[in-house]
């Protein structure tokens, strides 16, 4: 069985994270106990963002429009995303995965 690694990265086109400026070259880290929301599937609406007490929101890297990321930042919330390091045929980068790096089929996820 192939092993999958889950990576989290901060998406930001500016150095503003969690409502404050972060010095260039620094790495933002959430505070222990910070409320957060993990949204799988479709992106949340702006009213979902407004109604949640989450200060950090974890969304899909490929499905989240920049306008929503900007909106999340404008509300003083941090935006992170998850990256699944397995091959997924429906992702925009799937053509970059050669057979040599795809490895074995994952049980329960035969197309990955």
């Amino acid at each position: 069985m192939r092993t999958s690694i889950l990576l989290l990265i901060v998406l930001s086109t500016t150095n503003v994270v969690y409502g404050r400026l972060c010095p260039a070259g620094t790495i933002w880290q959430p505070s222990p106990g910070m409320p957060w929301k993990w949204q799988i599937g479709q992106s949340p609406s702006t009213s979902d963002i407004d109604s949640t007490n989450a200060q950090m929101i974890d969304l899909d890297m490929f499905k989240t429009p920049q306008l929503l990321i900007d909106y999340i930042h404008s509300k003083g919330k941090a935006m992170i995303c998850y990256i699944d390091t397995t091959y997924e045929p429906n992702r925009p980068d799937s053509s970059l995965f050669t057979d040599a790096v795809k490895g074995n089929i994952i049980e329960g996820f035969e197309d990955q």
Side-chain angles (χ1 to χ4, degrees):
M1 181 185 301
R2 183 169 49 185
T3 302
S4 179
I5 300 171
L6 185 65
L7 301 172
L8 297 177
I9 63 171
V10 175
L11 282 182
S12 178
T13 55
T14 67
N15 287 334
V16 178
V17 181
Y18 190 44
R20 62 182 186 274
L21 279 175
C22 294
T26 62
I27 297 174
W28 175 83
Q29 295 180 351
S31 304
M34 177 183 283
W36 64 286
K37 177 178 182 165
W38 187 20
Q39 181 82 29
I40 299 177
Q42 66 185 38
S43 295
S45 67
T46 54
S47 61
D48 291 335
I49 301 300
D50 292 339
S51 65
T52 184
N53 71 336
Q55 294 301 305
M56 177 176 64
I57 302 172
D58 184 355
L59 298 172
D60 187 287
M61 183 175 103
F62 293 112
K63 295 180 181 175
T64 305
Q66 184 63 49
L67 284 175
L68 183 57
I69 295 168
D70 294 341
Y71 186 79
I72 291 168
H73 288 160
S74 77
K75 296 298 179 179
K77 298 175 186 285
M79 163 68 192
I80 64 172
C81 70
Y82 60 88
I83 301 171
D84 189 344
T85 60
T86 61
Y87 169 77
E88 294 182 47
N90 60 332
R91 295 293 193 174
D93 64 346
S94 64
S95 65
L96 301 174
F97 287 77
T98 64
D99 289 339
V101 299
K102 287 182 186 175
N104 299 321
I105 294 174
I106 299 173
E107 186 177 331
F109 300 92
E110 284 71 23
D111 63 339
Q112 296 185 16

